Amino acid sequence: MAAKAWGGAFDGQTDPRVERFTESISFDARLAEVDVRGSKAHSQMLSEVGLISEQEKDQIHAALDEILATILAGKFPFRIELEDIHMHIESALIERLGDTGRKLHTGRSRNDQVATDLKLYVRDAIDRLDGLLVELQRAFIGRAEHDEGVILPGYTHLQRAQPVLASQYWCAWCEKFERDRTRLRDARVRLNESPLGAAALAGTTLPINRQRTAELLGFDRPAANSLDVSSDRDFVAETVFDLTLIATHLSNWAEEWILWCTTEFGFIKLPNAYTTGSSIMPQKRNPDVLELIRGKAGRVVGDLQHVLVLIKGLPLAYNRDLQEDKVALFDALDQVETSLELAAAIVEHAELKKETISARIEEGFLDATTLMEYLIQKGVPMRTGHETVGKLVRLAESKACTLAQLPLADFQSIAPQVQQDVFEALGVVNAVRRFRSEGSGGTASVAQQVARWKQKLAST
């Protein structure tokens, strides 16, 4: 039985069932690199303040590098009786260096060690996620030139509403994912305070230098209150919330494209590399990747609930419940990272079925609102114009034609203010041209949005 880090006051062995129940090495082994990074910063500081010698520090660093290399090569033996990655690394260090290895934990506790490792890991993950979100934005904006001039039906309540340029649609997703990026950046600012040196909860009597370890690890500052930071998992909850919103946005996009690639919509063709077939129906091309992106969003939402329920009833300071935060955090990160990678590839390689879209684009009276605004410009009150256009739509429906196909006399029989220039407002092409408000779907406005995104992403 391996010696426990906390075993001095205990005179018996731990029940093997407890060891199986309390282990976390099955999921926290991925913290090995950040644990070594934190330990090297800690030992560097210990040598600078005279708690260990320079030679001991060098020996510790060399041994830590060897241990990490063994872990990364998949050759390190994990044992549940050592509980977590932190004790595995420390035990291996002591096996190599004896008393010198036993000095590494001077001035720290597993509480601040784990919190430090987790913050380092989350900080790195946020940086990776930001890069993946940028790649997805670039995939959307990369479509703008290829799909220039393509008009899509825009929907509310899944009913055709108004025409929009495809390029505006791509920009809309960039806006959503940009908000995701800013939320992650905000979370990174708040988490970037170092727990190291808070020890178990009350700090230490030893002359450590928390400013130095914060500096070595790239934190902005040491956390101000040791009691707070040893129990703090706000940064986990905030990060998983941000991941949940990213997953939700991905699910929204996936749902829409799942609809778009049906025969009923027929707007888009997905690349074969990101679809699968049927075991019985040979003609099928199923959007399984999109469906799984949509489905995995549910897992991430569950991860958020896991974290919030986990921390809601905890008194100060550290409680072992917090071991379970990593299960939810790691799962949310894994699901969102893989979803983002595939989403960017799908967006880049999918093809709009332009002929199919164009053949039906005039269905649904997408220009009705533009006609109402034409009447407003002729002096008709908005509510009167709304009612008038409703009557004109009913008339066009009775004749099985579009608004643009009604003769001028029919317009004037219901709205005498209508002149020949009404036909410059009708049809989806004319409707799109007339949008003029900032941020709208008008040709000039969308061109400005695309140009702004190209410039922004080029400098990212």
Side-chain angles (χ1 to χ4, degrees):
M1 189 71 66
K4 304 294 187 184
W6 40 265
F10 292 74
D11 59 5
Q13 292 185 341
T14 306
D15 188 318
R17 292 172 296 182
V18 172
E19 291 184 331
R20 289 193 296 273
F21 187 69
T22 59
E23 67 83 22
S24 61
I25 189 60
S26 58
F27 54 84
D28 68 16
R30 66 171 70 192
L31 295 175
E33 188 277 328
V34 291
D35 190 73
V36 167
R37 199 191 313 172
S39 290
K40 289 171 77 172
H42 184 66
S43 59
Q44 173 71 37
M45 178 274 295
L46 291 177
S47 72
E48 291 175 2
V49 299
L51 288 170
I52 64 174
S53 69
E54 183 79 12
Q55 182 181 12
E56 287 171 326
K57 180 264 294 182
D58 290 341
Q59 290 174 336
I60 288 171
H61 283 205
L64 286 172
D65 288 339
E66 291 175 5
I67 294 166
L68 180 59
T70 304
I71 293 172
L72 296 178
K75 298 178 180 179
F76 191 91
F78 292 122
R79 298 175 291 168
I80 61 170
E81 62 267 23
L82 288 176
E83 297 181 3
D84 57 28
I85 188 62
H86 321 288
M87 284 310 304
H88 275 83
I89 291 175
E90 184 176 339
S91 295
L93 187 70
I94 292 171
E95 287 176 10
R96 285 167 168 79
L97 301 181
D99 282 346
T100 296
R102 291 184 177 92
K103 293 182 179 182
L104 173 61
H105 210 51
T106 302
R108 73 176 184 185
S109 162
R110 262 201 300 182
N111 294 355
D112 61 327
Q113 180 184 3
V114 170
T116 301
D117 290 358
L118 203 52
K119 281 195 170 188
L120 291 172
Y121 187 88
V122 172
R123 193 177 68 187
D124 290 349
I126 285 174
D127 293 343
R128 290 196 309 273
L129 286 164
D130 186 73
L132 290 170
L133 286 164
V134 168
E135 289 306 308
L136 181 53
Q137 290 175 311
R138 285 177 176 150
F140 275 116
I141 291 302
R143 300 191 61 99
E145 191 171 323
H146 179 67
D147 298 326
E148 186 175 2
V150 176
I151 299 175
L152 298 168
Y155 291 82
T156 63
H157 309 278
L158 262 184
Q159 303 296 314
R160 289 192 171 204
Q162 289 182 278
V164 297
L165 287 169
S167 297
Q168 187 190 25
Y169 184 88
W170 311 145
C171 288
W173 285 110
C174 285
E175 297 289 347
K176 292 181 186 299
F177 292 119
E178 184 65 17
R179 290 195 295 276
D180 292 327
R181 291 184 64 207
T182 59
R183 273 186 288 269
L184 287 170
R185 289 198 295 270
D186 288 345
R188 194 186 191 285
V189 169
R190 275 182 289 279
L191 75 80
N192 207 36
E193 294 184 341
S194 174
L196 199 54
L201 75 163
T204 176
T205 62
L206 297 170
I208 63 170
N209 185 344
R210 295 189 63 215
Q211 293 284 348
R212 179 61 173 148
T213 50
E215 175 189 339
L216 288 168
L217 292 170
F219 288 112
D220 293 330
R221 63 192 68 84
N225 185 296
S226 63
L227 187 62
D228 168 53
V229 75
S230 67
S231 62
D232 170 39
R233 292 299 185 272
D234 290 3
F235 68 97
V236 173
E238 185 172 4
T239 301
V240 177
F241 171 77
D242 293 347
L243 290 167
T244 302
L245 273 181
I246 296 170
T248 300
H249 289 149
L250 288 169
S251 181
N252 298 151
W253 160 75
E255 166 68 10
E256 194 150 50
W257 277 30
I258 289 166
L259 290 173
W260 281 14
C261 68
T262 61
T263 302
E264 287 71 19
F265 274 78
F267 287 0
I268 204 160
K269 180 180 179 181
L270 299 176
N272 285 340
Y274 306 101
T275 59
T276 64
S278 164
S279 64
I280 190 172
M281 295 169 285
Q283 85 282 8
K284 295 291 294 299
R285 289 185 178 88
N286 297 324
D288 283 15
V289 175
L290 290 176
E291 290 171 351
L292 284 171
I293 288 173
R294 182 178 60 184
K296 287 176 183 294
R299 274 178 70 166
V300 181
V301 172
D303 292 328
L304 176 60
Q305 303 311 309
H306 175 138
V307 172
L308 293 175
V309 174
L310 179 71
I311 64 177
K312 75 170 184 62
L314 300 184
L316 291 177
Y318 180 80
N319 296 272
R320 189 65 178 267
D321 313 50
L322 293 177
Q323 174 176 295
E324 296 298 309
D325 61 356
K326 288 170 281 297
V327 177
L329 171 66
F330 294 161
D331 183 64
L333 284 169
D334 290 346
Q335 304 316 313
V336 171
E337 286 193 44
T338 54
S339 294
L340 283 170
E341 288 174 354
L342 288 168
I346 293 170
V347 169
E348 181 180 358
H349 296 293
E351 285 292 328
L352 287 178
K353 299 171 76 171
K354 298 176 184 179
E355 292 182 3
T356 303
I357 295 167
S358 179
R360 297 185 55 202
I361 193 60
E362 296 294 350
E363 295 180 13
F365 303 102
L366 299 174
D367 51 358
T369 303
T370 304
L371 175 58
M372 181 193 71
E373 292 176 343
Y374 165 87
L375 291 174
I376 290 172
Q377 291 179 316
K378 294 293 186 181
V380 177
M382 183 270 174
R383 285 298 174 198
T384 304
H386 189 285
E387 181 180 0
T388 299
V389 174
K391 293 177 181 178
L392 288 166
V393 166
R394 288 205 311 274
L395 178 60
E397 287 175 332
S398 71
K399 294 187 173 187
C401 69
T402 67
L403 289 170
Q405 291 169 333
L406 288 174
L408 181 60
D410 282 351
F411 283 102
Q412 292 178 333
S413 68
I414 296 175
Q417 301 90 340
V418 173
Q419 303 297 320
Q420 185 66 35
D421 62 352
V422 72
F423 296 102
E424 297 174 9
L426 297 176
V428 295
V429 173
N430 287 330
V432 166
R433 285 175 181 160
R434 291 172 78 92
F435 290 129
R436 58 194 299 177
S437 57
E438 186 174 350
S440 71
T443 305
S445 173
V446 172
Q448 290 173 355
Q449 292 176 53
V450 171
R452 176 173 62 85
W453 273 111
K454 285 183 175 179
Q455 182 178 13
K456 182 179 181 67
L457 294 171
S459 61
T460 297

